[in-house]
Amino acid sequence: MAFDTDKGLRNQVMYSVFVRNYSPEGTFEGVRKDLQRIRDLGVDIIWLMPIHPLGEKARKGSLGSPYAIKNYREVNPEFGTLEDFKALVSDIHALGMKCIIDVVYNHTSPDSWLSENHPEWFYHKPDGSFGNRVGDWTDIIDLDYANKELWDYQIDTLKMWAEIVDGFRCDVASLVPLEFWLRAREEVGKVRENCIWLSESIEHGFIRYIRSQGMTALSDSEIYQAFDISYEYDVAGDFIDCLLGKISLADYAKVLNLQETIYPHNYVKLRFLENHDRPRAHQLIADEKALRVWTAFMYFQKGMPLIYNGQETGATHLPTLFDKDTINFSVKVDLTPLMKKLYTICKDEIMTDSDYKVESPCDGVLTAMHTAKGGKLLGVFPVKTTGALVNVQVPDGTYKDLITGRDVEVHFGMLSVSDEAVIIRA
């Protein structure tokens, strides 16, 4: 694990913004005007998906993927100017939040500045032409980190942006050599103290496939040497299988508990129900009450909750990455009051450093417990039931539900729940 990773990151909430589709105008200004609403939701870190100019060659859709970047050192003119971007970041800081930007270092667009000026820094197919090693990514070409001059350029670029922003979300970081990330973290730290490093680590199946092709594919245990936070793609497939009924809640609890033993003591997982690469949470979980319960569970887990723009209003349409497709913030399910309340629970010091365990004591219910010297936080989450009597490991008595403020009672080691999550301090 990165030795200086702050466990306090577990008390923070991240909000992901896709600038193009966040507002009708699709600009930095369109985001800036809405910052107070985002802050009031209970957000500490805003992650801006790629802000750089996009390639035109082999473009997907009419506007192209934000992950097919033409120039790492410029901003997309469709979003505004560099000064507009700096103004956005300044206002984010003024509201007490931090800003991180996407780093897409595995590949560029085929017509990127780097491909035109340093073709020797790229992977080449046997016939000498540019190419990529993941077949369906047809709009990009892969960089080749065997070239140490590329390392210098990429790290200098990070240091340039670190003068402005607070950290980086690194796209498919697992496909870039660990030694590069270790050096980047060290050098960027000289420019931005306490820089935040978030890795889009990858699924187990993808790791095995990439390795079978003779390429770099870092496991989470390797990623944590250089990064503060990693995606929870190690368990995301189990979450979907649980929703589909392919595995039980008890099976899902087991894989979550495994994280407590296989990762370093200060590991931070990015917890999410959705992101720009996954279906909307409300599409996966159609029932409004179940969606609220799963949202509460996401916030309660050990790690950092992620909100993808529009999730707070129960959006079901996932914006395309390749065209103008403005997010509809019209409320389908208003999760804002719940998220605000859960945000206050996230700030509890027990959540910073605890022994964490998840169980499924009865059908349709997950329980989770944070235990530390300061006491216990117990969460009971009826994700697949409208009522249950649940065995809980707290003394009998009357407790205050930290979500609703209502009294709840434990008798003979049992707590009765209906269709709402309950969180109590013991």
Side-chain angles (χ1 to χ4, degrees):
M1 186 70 180
F3 72 92
D4 56 350
T5 291
D6 181 4
K7 292 180 181 179
L9 290 169
R10 296 171 178 161
N11 298 97
Q12 299 189 23
V13 174
M14 183 177 292
Y15 189 91
S16 174
V17 170
F18 184 10
V19 175
R20 175 195 293 165
N21 288 332
Y22 188 83
S23 64
E25 56 267 47
T27 61
F28 295 132
E29 176 64 14
V31 178
R32 194 192 65 79
K33 291 188 298 186
D34 204 35
L35 288 179
Q36 188 65 58
R37 184 193 69 84
I38 296 174
R39 182 69 184 100
D40 291 344
L41 184 62
V43 171
D44 302 285
I45 303 168
I46 290 181
W47 151 33
L48 299 174
M49 289 169 57
I51 61 167
H52 308 298
L54 308 182
E56 298 179 10
K57 187 176 181 181
R59 194 177 255 191
K60 290 184 177 180
S62 60
L63 297 178
S65 168
Y67 293 91
I69 290 172
K70 188 169 187 176
N71 193 320
Y72 292 126
R73 296 188 175 184
E74 297 178 354
V75 298
N76 189 337
E78 297 174 19
F79 297 168
T81 65
L82 178 60
E83 291 308 311
D84 293 331
F85 173 68
K86 289 180 177 180
L88 170 60
V89 176
S90 178
D91 282 3
I92 289 172
H93 289 162
L95 287 170
M97 296 183 287
K98 293 183 176 181
C99 178
I100 68 173
I101 59 172
D102 238 307
V103 170
V104 188
Y105 270 10
N106 178 67
H107 50 259
T108 74
S109 68
D111 54 350
S112 66
W113 185 92
L114 283 182
S115 69
E116 294 172 353
N117 289 272
H118 291 284
E120 72 279 11
W121 291 354
F122 285 80
Y123 160 76
H124 294 272
K125 295 187 289 188
D127 64 2
S129 62
F130 292 122
N132 72 80
R133 289 162 284 191
V134 180
D136 62 341
W137 296 352
T138 57
D139 57 341
I140 55 92
I141 55 176
D142 285 357
L143 289 158
D144 182 359
Y145 280 82
N147 299 280
K148 292 304 175 68
E149 296 87 354
L150 170 62
W151 292 33
D152 295 336
Y153 181 88
Q154 299 290 64
I155 291 172
D156 285 345
T157 303
L158 289 171
K159 289 161 71 174
M160 181 194 88
W161 290 112
E163 295 279 1
I164 304 170
V165 301
D166 305 287
F168 305 102
R169 179 267 186 190
C170 301
D171 187 65
V172 287
S174 301
L175 304 189
V176 175
L178 175 61
E179 293 77 10
F180 169 82
W181 293 123
L182 289 168
R183 181 181 151 196
R185 182 185 180 100
E186 180 181 4
E187 294 197 25
V188 170
K190 298 172 184 176
V191 175
R192 173 70 62 172
E193 189 177 1
N194 299 320
C195 181
I196 299 167
W197 292 88
L198 165 62
S199 164
E200 186 200 20
S201 43
I202 58 178
E203 301 91 333
H204 292 162
F206 195 22
I207 291 174
R208 295 189 66 173
Y209 168 73
I210 294 296
R211 287 179 175 177
S212 73
Q213 303 302 303
M215 297 181 287
T216 296
L218 303 176
S219 65
D220 280 26
S221 60
E222 293 169 298
I223 282 291
Y224 272 130
Q225 295 179 50
F227 286 83
D228 302 305
I229 315 163
S230 80
Y231 270 45
E232 61 170 344
Y233 277 157
D234 55 327
V235 297
D238 299 281
F239 169 65
I240 298 296
D241 285 346
C242 182
L243 292 180
L244 293 173
K246 294 182 178 180
I247 65 171
S248 68
L249 287 173
D251 291 332
Y252 181 46
K254 286 179 182 178
V255 299
L256 291 173
N257 289 332
L258 190 60
Q259 293 177 330
E260 280 286 277
T261 61
I262 63 175
Y263 299 134
H265 70 96
N266 57 345
Y267 81 98
V268 184
K269 277 288 177 181
L270 189 71
R271 304 297 185 178
F272 53 82
L273 298 180
E274 64 176 67
N275 62 52
H276 69 267
D277 282 327
R278 296 287 167 133
R280 286 287 197 181
H282 194 23
Q283 181 187 13
L284 292 171
I285 307 162
D287 181 78
E288 177 180 335
K289 291 180 178 178
L291 179 62
R292 293 180 181 278
V293 176
W294 277 112
T295 299
F297 181 67
M298 176 190 76
Y299 271 79
F300 194 74
Q301 286 206 75
K302 179 181 278 189
M304 178 185 292
L306 171 71
I307 306 166
Y308 181 51
N309 44 202
Q311 180 177 347
E312 65 270 34
T313 58
T316 54
H317 172 67
L318 184 68
T320 175
L321 292 180
F322 313 125
D323 301 287
K324 179 61 178 170
D325 188 12
T326 304
I327 296 166
N328 184 353
F329 282 95
S330 298
V331 174
K332 291 183 171 62
V333 178
D334 188 6
L335 297 174
T336 298
L338 175 62
M339 288 178 169
K340 288 181 178 181
K341 179 59 67 173
L342 293 168
Y343 178 71
T344 66
I345 298 172
C346 276
K347 296 300 180 183
D348 195 295
E349 63 180 3
I350 292 179
M351 304 280 280
T352 311
D353 191 8
S354 68
D355 177 70
Y356 180 65
K357 187 175 183 179
V358 183
E359 296 182 294
S360 179
C362 60
D363 288 344
V365 177
L366 285 171
T367 61
M369 182 86 81
H370 290 272
T371 304
K373 291 181 180 179
K376 297 179 179 180
L377 277 184
L378 169 68
V380 183
F381 306 95
V383 295
K384 292 185 178 182
T385 183
T386 56
L389 193 60
V390 183
N391 282 116
V392 292
Q393 304 301 312
V394 298
D396 285 2
T398 301
Y399 298 87
K400 187 76 67 177
D401 176 18
L402 299 181
I403 300 176
T404 64
R406 296 195 294 261
D407 287 341
V408 295
E409 296 187 352
V410 176
H411 293 299
F412 302 100
M414 295 180 290
L415 185 152
S416 178
V417 292
S418 56
D419 51 13
E420 296 180 317
V422 172
I423 297 174
I424 61 175
R425 187 189 311 279

mmCIF file of all heavy atoms in Angstrom, residues 325-366:
data_model
loop_
_atom_site.group_PDB
_atom_site.id
_atom_site.type_symbol
_atom_site.label_atom_id
_atom_site.label_comp_id
_atom_site.label_asym_id
_atom_site.label_seq_id
_atom_site.Cartn_x
_atom_site.Cartn_y
_atom_site.Cartn_z
ATOM 1 N N ASP A 325 -25.560 14.029 -25.174
ATOM 2 C CA ASP A 325 -26.656 13.263 -24.580
ATOM 3 C C ASP A 325 -26.842 13.781 -23.159
ATOM 4 O O ASP A 325 -26.454 13.137 -22.189
ATOM 5 C CB ASP A 325 -26.303 11.769 -24.596
ATOM 6 C CG ASP A 325 -27.455 10.867 -24.176
ATOM 7 O OD1 ASP A 325 -28.596 11.360 -24.085
ATOM 8 O OD2 ASP A 325 -27.188 9.669 -23.927
ATOM 9 N N THR A 326 -27.452 14.958 -23.052
ATOM 10 C CA THR A 326 -27.524 15.673 -21.783
ATOM 11 C C THR A 326 -28.252 14.865 -20.719
ATOM 12 O O THR A 326 -29.310 14.284 -20.973
ATOM 13 C CB THR A 326 -28.234 17.028 -21.966
ATOM 14 O OG1 THR A 326 -27.554 17.771 -22.987
ATOM 15 C CG2 THR A 326 -28.217 17.832 -20.674
ATOM 16 N N ILE A 327 -27.676 14.844 -19.531
ATOM 17 C CA ILE A 327 -28.271 14.133 -18.405
ATOM 18 C C ILE A 327 -29.593 14.788 -18.026
ATOM 19 O O ILE A 327 -29.709 16.012 -17.947
ATOM 20 C CB ILE A 327 -27.317 14.152 -17.196
ATOM 21 C CG1 ILE A 327 -26.042 13.392 -17.533
ATOM 22 C CG2 ILE A 327 -27.989 13.567 -15.953
ATOM 23 C CD1 ILE A 327 -24.922 13.637 -16.545
ATOM 24 N N ASN A 328 -30.587 13.964 -17.812
ATOM 25 C CA ASN A 328 -31.894 14.441 -17.370
ATOM 26 C C ASN A 328 -31.941 14.371 -15.849
ATOM 27 O O ASN A 328 -32.007 13.283 -15.277
ATOM 28 C CB ASN A 328 -33.003 13.585 -17.990
ATOM 29 C CG ASN A 328 -34.386 14.092 -17.638
ATOM 30 O OD1 ASN A 328 -34.542 15.006 -16.832
ATOM 31 N ND2 ASN A 328 -35.405 13.494 -18.231
ATOM 32 N N PHE A 329 -31.874 15.525 -15.204
ATOM 33 C CA PHE A 329 -31.884 15.572 -13.745
ATOM 34 C C PHE A 329 -33.308 15.632 -13.186
ATOM 35 O O PHE A 329 -33.478 15.849 -11.975
ATOM 36 C CB PHE A 329 -31.079 16.768 -13.238
ATOM 37 C CG PHE A 329 -29.591 16.566 -13.284
ATOM 38 C CD1 PHE A 329 -28.848 17.019 -14.362
ATOM 39 C CD2 PHE A 329 -28.932 15.909 -12.254
ATOM 40 C CE1 PHE A 329 -27.463 16.838 -14.406
ATOM 41 C CE2 PHE A 329 -27.561 15.724 -12.278
ATOM 42 C CZ PHE A 329 -26.820 16.182 -13.360
ATOM 43 N N SER A 330 -34.316 15.461 -14.036
ATOM 44 C CA SER A 330 -35.688 15.403 -13.525
ATOM 45 C C SER A 330 -35.804 14.251 -12.535
ATOM 46 O O SER A 330 -35.316 13.146 -12.788
ATOM 47 C CB SER A 330 -36.683 15.202 -14.675
ATOM 48 O OG SER A 330 -36.626 16.278 -15.576
ATOM 49 N N VAL A 331 -36.460 14.503 -11.434
ATOM 50 C CA VAL A 331 -36.457 13.533 -10.344
ATOM 51 C C VAL A 331 -37.355 12.344 -10.650
ATOM 52 O O VAL A 331 -38.548 12.491 -10.909
ATOM 53 C CB VAL A 331 -36.908 14.204 -9.029
ATOM 54 C CG1 VAL A 331 -37.039 13.166 -7.917
ATOM 55 C CG2 VAL A 331 -35.919 15.286 -8.624
ATOM 56 N N LYS A 332 -36.766 11.168 -10.658
ATOM 57 C CA LYS A 332 -37.521 9.918 -10.685
ATOM 58 C C LYS A 332 -37.616 9.357 -9.275
ATOM 59 O O LYS A 332 -38.675 8.955 -8.818
ATOM 60 C CB LYS A 332 -36.865 8.908 -11.631
ATOM 61 C CG LYS A 332 -36.958 9.278 -13.112
ATOM 62 C CD LYS A 332 -36.354 8.182 -13.978
ATOM 63 C CE LYS A 332 -36.629 8.422 -15.457
ATOM 64 N NZ LYS A 332 -36.019 9.684 -15.941
ATOM 65 N N VAL A 333 -36.484 9.322 -8.616
ATOM 66 C CA VAL A 333 -36.415 8.965 -7.199
ATOM 67 C C VAL A 333 -35.479 9.980 -6.554
ATOM 68 O O VAL A 333 -34.308 10.042 -6.903
ATOM 69 C CB VAL A 333 -35.861 7.542 -6.987
ATOM 70 C CG1 VAL A 333 -35.771 7.235 -5.495
ATOM 71 C CG2 VAL A 333 -36.708 6.504 -7.696
ATOM 72 N N ASP A 334 -35.994 10.778 -5.649
ATOM 73 C CA ASP A 334 -35.167 11.818 -5.044
ATOM 74 C C ASP A 334 -34.349 11.222 -3.898
ATOM 75 O O ASP A 334 -34.849 11.047 -2.779
ATOM 76 C CB ASP A 334 -36.041 12.963 -4.533
ATOM 77 C CG ASP A 334 -35.195 14.153 -4.064
ATOM 78 O OD1 ASP A 334 -33.956 14.107 -4.250
ATOM 79 O OD2 ASP A 334 -35.770 15.113 -3.529
ATOM 80 N N LEU A 335 -33.100 10.937 -4.187
ATOM 81 C CA LEU A 335 -32.202 10.368 -3.185
ATOM 82 C C LEU A 335 -31.419 11.441 -2.434
ATOM 83 O O LEU A 335 -30.644 11.116 -1.531
ATOM 84 C CB LEU A 335 -31.228 9.398 -3.854
ATOM 85 C CG LEU A 335 -31.850 8.171 -4.526
ATOM 86 C CD1 LEU A 335 -30.785 7.382 -5.276
ATOM 87 C CD2 LEU A 335 -32.531 7.284 -3.498
ATOM 88 N N THR A 336 -31.641 12.703 -2.794
ATOM 89 C CA THR A 336 -30.850 13.781 -2.216
ATOM 90 C C THR A 336 -30.956 13.840 -0.695
ATOM 91 O O THR A 336 -29.927 13.889 0.003
ATOM 92 C CB THR A 336 -31.238 15.126 -2.844
ATOM 93 O OG1 THR A 336 -30.946 15.091 -4.245
ATOM 94 C CG2 THR A 336 -30.471 16.274 -2.207
ATOM 95 N N PRO A 337 -32.162 13.846 -0.094
ATOM 96 C CA PRO A 337 -32.234 13.902 1.378
ATOM 97 C C PRO A 337 -31.529 12.719 2.037
ATOM 98 O O PRO A 337 -30.847 12.887 3.053
ATOM 99 C CB PRO A 337 -33.734 13.903 1.669
ATOM 100 C CG PRO A 337 -34.375 14.430 0.419
ATOM 101 C CD PRO A 337 -33.524 13.896 -0.694
ATOM 102 N N LEU A 338 -31.685 11.538 1.456
ATOM 103 C CA LEU A 338 -31.035 10.353 2.008
ATOM 104 C C LEU A 338 -29.518 10.482 1.915
ATOM 105 O O LEU A 338 -28.794 10.192 2.879
ATOM 106 C CB LEU A 338 -31.499 9.101 1.267
ATOM 107 C CG LEU A 338 -30.814 7.786 1.657
ATOM 108 C CD1 LEU A 338 -31.075 7.451 3.123
ATOM 109 C CD2 LEU A 338 -31.278 6.650 0.744
ATOM 110 N N MET A 339 -29.019 10.925 0.760
ATOM 111 C CA MET A 339 -27.573 11.067 0.594
ATOM 112 C C MET A 339 -26.997 12.089 1.560
ATOM 113 O O MET A 339 -25.896 11.901 2.103
ATOM 114 C CB MET A 339 -27.249 11.445 -0.857
ATOM 115 C CG MET A 339 -27.437 10.308 -1.839
ATOM 116 S SD MET A 339 -27.094 10.815 -3.549
ATOM 117 C CE MET A 339 -27.080 9.218 -4.390
ATOM 118 N N LYS A 340 -27.722 13.173 1.790
ATOM 119 C CA LYS A 340 -27.253 14.178 2.741
ATOM 120 C C LYS A 340 -27.131 13.584 4.145
ATOM 121 O O LYS A 340 -26.165 13.852 4.877
ATOM 122 C CB LYS A 340 -28.209 15.370 2.762
ATOM 123 C CG LYS A 340 -28.161 16.248 1.515
ATOM 124 C CD LYS A 340 -29.129 17.421 1.637
ATOM 125 C CE LYS A 340 -29.052 18.336 0.434
ATOM 126 N NZ LYS A 340 -29.977 19.491 0.541
ATOM 127 N N LYS A 341 -28.117 12.789 4.548
ATOM 128 C CA LYS A 341 -28.074 12.166 5.868
ATOM 129 C C LYS A 341 -26.950 11.140 5.948
ATOM 130 O O LYS A 341 -26.207 11.079 6.942
ATOM 131 C CB LYS A 341 -29.423 11.509 6.165
ATOM 132 C CG LYS A 341 -29.487 10.793 7.506
ATOM 133 C CD LYS A 341 -29.205 11.723 8.677
ATOM 134 C CE LYS A 341 -30.278 12.758 8.861
ATOM 135 N NZ LYS A 341 -30.089 13.549 10.094
ATOM 136 N N LEU A 342 -26.789 10.340 4.907
ATOM 137 C CA LEU A 342 -25.735 9.329 4.893
ATOM 138 C C LEU A 342 -24.352 9.978 4.907
ATOM 139 O O LEU A 342 -23.400 9.422 5.462
ATOM 140 C CB LEU A 342 -25.888 8.425 3.666
ATOM 141 C CG LEU A 342 -27.137 7.533 3.668
ATOM 142 C CD1 LEU A 342 -27.334 6.899 2.287
ATOM 143 C CD2 LEU A 342 -27.042 6.449 4.741
ATOM 144 N N TYR A 343 -24.244 11.144 4.303
ATOM 145 C CA TYR A 343 -22.976 11.871 4.301
ATOM 146 C C TYR A 343 -22.540 12.199 5.724
ATOM 147 O O TYR A 343 -21.353 12.091 6.068
ATOM 148 C CB TYR A 343 -23.119 13.152 3.471
ATOM 149 C CG TYR A 343 -21.887 14.017 3.420
ATOM 150 C CD1 TYR A 343 -20.762 13.626 2.713
ATOM 151 C CD2 TYR A 343 -21.848 15.243 4.091
ATOM 152 C CE1 TYR A 343 -19.631 14.429 2.651
ATOM 153 C CE2 TYR A 343 -20.727 16.052 4.040
ATOM 154 C CZ TYR A 343 -19.619 15.636 3.325
ATOM 155 O OH TYR A 343 -18.491 16.434 3.282
ATOM 156 N N THR A 344 -23.482 12.590 6.555
ATOM 157 C CA THR A 344 -23.127 12.899 7.949
ATOM 158 C C THR A 344 -22.658 11.651 8.678
ATOM 159 O O THR A 344 -21.765 11.718 9.537
ATOM 160 C CB THR A 344 -24.316 13.532 8.705
ATOM 161 O OG1 THR A 344 -25.384 12.581 8.831
ATOM 162 C CG2 THR A 344 -24.831 14.763 7.973
ATOM 163 N N ILE A 345 -23.233 10.500 8.343
ATOM 164 C CA ILE A 345 -22.802 9.237 8.963
ATOM 165 C C ILE A 345 -21.405 8.872 8.495
ATOM 166 O O ILE A 345 -20.587 8.350 9.263
ATOM 167 C CB ILE A 345 -23.822 8.127 8.663
ATOM 168 C CG1 ILE A 345 -25.192 8.477 9.265
ATOM 169 C CG2 ILE A 345 -23.328 6.772 9.186
ATOM 170 C CD1 ILE A 345 -26.310 7.526 8.866
ATOM 171 N N CYS A 346 -21.106 9.163 7.218
ATOM 172 C CA CYS A 346 -19.761 8.903 6.678
ATOM 173 C C CYS A 346 -18.683 9.603 7.490
ATOM 174 O O CYS A 346 -17.534 9.135 7.543
ATOM 175 C CB CYS A 346 -19.656 9.388 5.229
ATOM 176 S SG CYS A 346 -20.255 8.238 4.007
ATOM 177 N N LYS A 347 -19.022 10.722 8.081
ATOM 178 C CA LYS A 347 -18.040 11.519 8.802
ATOM 179 C C LYS A 347 -17.731 10.966 10.188
ATOM 180 O O LYS A 347 -16.823 11.461 10.867
ATOM 181 C CB LYS A 347 -18.526 12.965 8.923
ATOM 182 C CG LYS A 347 -18.661 13.696 7.585
ATOM 183 C CD LYS A 347 -17.342 13.755 6.848
ATOM 184 C CE LYS A 347 -17.443 14.477 5.527
ATOM 185 N NZ LYS A 347 -16.172 14.468 4.780
ATOM 186 N N ASP A 348 -18.471 9.966 10.633
ATOM 187 C CA ASP A 348 -18.225 9.380 11.947
ATOM 188 C C ASP A 348 -16.816 8.799 12.005
ATOM 189 O O ASP A 348 -16.385 8.091 11.103
ATOM 190 C CB ASP A 348 -19.256 8.292 12.239
ATOM 191 C CG ASP A 348 -19.278 7.896 13.704
ATOM 192 O OD1 ASP A 348 -18.257 7.344 14.183
ATOM 193 O OD2 ASP A 348 -20.302 8.118 14.359
ATOM 194 N N GLU A 349 -16.082 9.084 13.082
ATOM 195 C CA GLU A 349 -14.697 8.650 13.184
ATOM 196 C C GLU A 349 -14.562 7.130 13.188
ATOM 197 O O GLU A 349 -13.508 6.598 12.834
ATOM 198 C CB GLU A 349 -14.043 9.236 14.435
ATOM 199 C CG GLU A 349 -14.653 8.801 15.741
ATOM 200 C CD GLU A 349 -13.962 9.424 16.944
ATOM 201 O OE1 GLU A 349 -13.041 10.231 16.728
ATOM 202 O OE2 GLU A 349 -14.361 9.107 18.082
ATOM 203 N N ILE A 350 -15.603 6.411 13.574
ATOM 204 C CA ILE A 350 -15.548 4.947 13.534
ATOM 205 C C ILE A 350 -15.354 4.459 12.100
ATOM 206 O O ILE A 350 -14.684 3.447 11.850
ATOM 207 C CB ILE A 350 -16.821 4.334 14.152
ATOM 208 C CG1 ILE A 350 -16.869 4.612 15.655
ATOM 209 C CG2 ILE A 350 -16.879 2.829 13.893
ATOM 210 C CD1 ILE A 350 -18.100 4.073 16.339
ATOM 211 N N MET A 351 -15.919 5.199 11.142
ATOM 212 C CA MET A 351 -15.809 4.800 9.733
ATOM 213 C C MET A 351 -14.385 4.968 9.207
ATOM 214 O O MET A 351 -14.020 4.394 8.188
ATOM 215 C CB MET A 351 -16.762 5.640 8.880
ATOM 216 C CG MET A 351 -18.220 5.581 9.307
ATOM 217 S SD MET A 351 -19.069 4.120 8.728
ATOM 218 C CE MET A 351 -19.430 4.583 7.031
ATOM 219 N N THR A 352 -13.568 5.767 9.905
ATOM 220 C CA THR A 352 -12.207 6.034 9.446
ATOM 221 C C THR A 352 -11.314 4.813 9.601
ATOM 222 O O THR A 352 -10.524 4.480 8.714
ATOM 223 C CB THR A 352 -11.593 7.200 10.240
ATOM 224 O OG1 THR A 352 -12.506 8.289 10.259
ATOM 225 C CG2 THR A 352 -10.275 7.638 9.635
ATOM 226 N N ASP A 353 -11.438 4.151 10.730
ATOM 227 C CA ASP A 353 -10.521 3.059 11.036
ATOM 228 C C ASP A 353 -11.242 2.032 11.891
ATOM 229 O O ASP A 353 -11.339 2.178 13.112
ATOM 230 C CB ASP A 353 -9.283 3.595 11.765
ATOM 231 C CG ASP A 353 -8.175 2.562 11.870
ATOM 232 O OD1 ASP A 353 -8.313 1.485 11.255
ATOM 233 O OD2 ASP A 353 -7.182 2.830 12.563
ATOM 234 N N SER A 354 -11.761 1.007 11.271
ATOM 235 C CA SER A 354 -12.564 0.030 11.989
ATOM 236 C C SER A 354 -12.268 -1.376 11.499
ATOM 237 O O SER A 354 -11.704 -1.582 10.420
ATOM 238 C CB SER A 354 -14.059 0.327 11.777
ATOM 239 O OG SER A 354 -14.418 0.088 10.415
ATOM 240 N N ASP A 355 -12.661 -2.348 12.312
ATOM 241 C CA ASP A 355 -12.795 -3.718 11.828
ATOM 242 C C ASP A 355 -14.181 -3.807 11.205
ATOM 243 O O ASP A 355 -15.175 -3.412 11.827
ATOM 244 C CB ASP A 355 -12.657 -4.712 12.983
ATOM 245 C CG ASP A 355 -12.877 -6.142 12.523
ATOM 246 O OD1 ASP A 355 -12.024 -6.671 11.793
ATOM 247 O OD2 ASP A 355 -13.923 -6.729 12.880
ATOM 248 N N TYR A 356 -14.261 -4.292 9.979
ATOM 249 C CA TYR A 356 -15.520 -4.233 9.229
ATOM 250 C C TYR A 356 -15.939 -5.634 8.839
ATOM 251 O O TYR A 356 -15.127 -6.435 8.336
ATOM 252 C CB TYR A 356 -15.333 -3.371 7.985
ATOM 253 C CG TYR A 356 -16.567 -3.232 7.117
ATOM 254 C CD1 TYR A 356 -17.699 -2.583 7.601
ATOM 255 C CD2 TYR A 356 -16.595 -3.739 5.822
ATOM 256 C CE1 TYR A 356 -18.831 -2.440 6.805
ATOM 257 C CE2 TYR A 356 -17.719 -3.598 5.025
ATOM 258 C CZ TYR A 356 -18.837 -2.952 5.524
ATOM 259 O OH TYR A 356 -19.954 -2.816 4.732
ATOM 260 N N LYS A 357 -17.208 -5.946 9.056
ATOM 261 C CA LYS A 357 -17.713 -7.280 8.713
ATOM 262 C C LYS A 357 -19.133 -7.178 8.180
ATOM 263 O O LYS A 357 -19.973 -6.450 8.718
ATOM 264 C CB LYS A 357 -17.689 -8.201 9.931
ATOM 265 C CG LYS A 357 -18.037 -9.652 9.610
ATOM 266 C CD LYS A 357 -17.889 -10.551 10.822
ATOM 267 C CE LYS A 357 -18.183 -12.008 10.458
ATOM 268 N NZ LYS A 357 -18.026 -12.916 11.634
ATOM 269 N N VAL A 358 -19.397 -7.932 7.123
ATOM 270 C CA VAL A 358 -20.721 -7.994 6.499
ATOM 271 C C VAL A 358 -21.269 -9.408 6.671
ATOM 272 O O VAL A 358 -20.533 -10.394 6.521
ATOM 273 C CB VAL A 358 -20.651 -7.641 5.002
ATOM 274 C CG1 VAL A 358 -22.044 -7.625 4.379
ATOM 275 C CG2 VAL A 358 -19.965 -6.300 4.795
ATOM 276 N N GLU A 359 -22.556 -9.508 6.957
ATOM 277 C CA GLU A 359 -23.205 -10.814 7.099
ATOM 278 C C GLU A 359 -24.589 -10.773 6.468
ATOM 279 O O GLU A 359 -25.137 -9.692 6.203
ATOM 280 C CB GLU A 359 -23.327 -11.200 8.579
ATOM 281 C CG GLU A 359 -22.009 -11.394 9.293
ATOM 282 C CD GLU A 359 -22.196 -11.811 10.747
ATOM 283 O OE1 GLU A 359 -22.713 -10.983 11.525
ATOM 284 O OE2 GLU A 359 -21.832 -12.940 11.076
ATOM 285 N N SER A 360 -25.154 -11.943 6.245
ATOM 286 C CA SER A 360 -26.552 -12.057 5.841
ATOM 287 C C SER A 360 -27.240 -12.989 6.836
ATOM 288 O O SER A 360 -27.283 -14.206 6.650
ATOM 289 C CB SER A 360 -26.670 -12.612 4.420
ATOM 290 O OG SER A 360 -28.039 -12.738 4.047
ATOM 291 N N PRO A 361 -27.764 -12.414 7.939
ATOM 292 C CA PRO A 361 -28.301 -13.241 9.022
ATOM 293 C C PRO A 361 -29.620 -13.928 8.695
ATOM 294 O O PRO A 361 -30.015 -14.873 9.380
ATOM 295 C CB PRO A 361 -28.468 -12.244 10.160
ATOM 296 C CG PRO A 361 -28.683 -10.931 9.480
ATOM 297 C CD PRO A 361 -27.843 -10.978 8.241
ATOM 298 N N CYS A 362 -30.322 -13.438 7.665
ATOM 299 C CA CYS A 362 -31.588 -14.066 7.262
ATOM 300 C C CYS A 362 -31.871 -13.693 5.818
ATOM 301 O O CYS A 362 -31.195 -12.835 5.227
ATOM 302 C CB CYS A 362 -32.736 -13.621 8.169
ATOM 303 S SG CYS A 362 -33.038 -11.841 8.183
ATOM 304 N N ASP A 363 -32.850 -14.324 5.235
ATOM 305 C CA ASP A 363 -33.165 -14.096 3.826
ATOM 306 C C ASP A 363 -33.483 -12.627 3.560
ATOM 307 O O ASP A 363 -34.264 -12.007 4.276
ATOM 308 C CB ASP A 363 -34.376 -14.947 3.412
ATOM 309 C CG ASP A 363 -34.046 -16.426 3.324
ATOM 310 O OD1 ASP A 363 -32.843 -16.751 3.286
ATOM 311 O OD2 ASP A 363 -34.984 -17.245 3.312
ATOM 312 N N GLY A 364 -32.827 -12.078 2.525
ATOM 313 C CA GLY A 364 -33.155 -10.739 2.061
ATOM 314 C C GLY A 364 -32.503 -9.605 2.813
ATOM 315 O O GLY A 364 -32.756 -8.439 2.508
ATOM 316 N N VAL A 365 -31.663 -9.915 3.803
ATOM 317 C CA VAL A 365 -31.102 -8.865 4.652
ATOM 318 C C VAL A 365 -29.582 -8.990 4.713
ATOM 319 O O VAL A 365 -29.032 -10.081 4.893
ATOM 320 C CB VAL A 365 -31.669 -8.938 6.089
ATOM 321 C CG1 VAL A 365 -31.019 -7.878 6.973
ATOM 322 C CG2 VAL A 365 -33.182 -8.750 6.066
ATOM 323 N N LEU A 366 -28.903 -7.834 4.567
ATOM 324 C CA LEU A 366 -27.483 -7.715 4.858
ATOM 325 C C LEU A 366 -27.314 -6.904 6.139
ATOM 326 O O LEU A 366 -28.052 -5.929 6.357
ATOM 327 C CB LEU A 366 -26.742 -6.990 3.734
ATOM 328 C CG LEU A 366 -26.476 -7.745 2.433
ATOM 329 C CD1 LEU A 366 -25.935 -6.792 1.372
ATOM 330 C CD2 LEU A 366 -25.519 -8.919 2.643
#
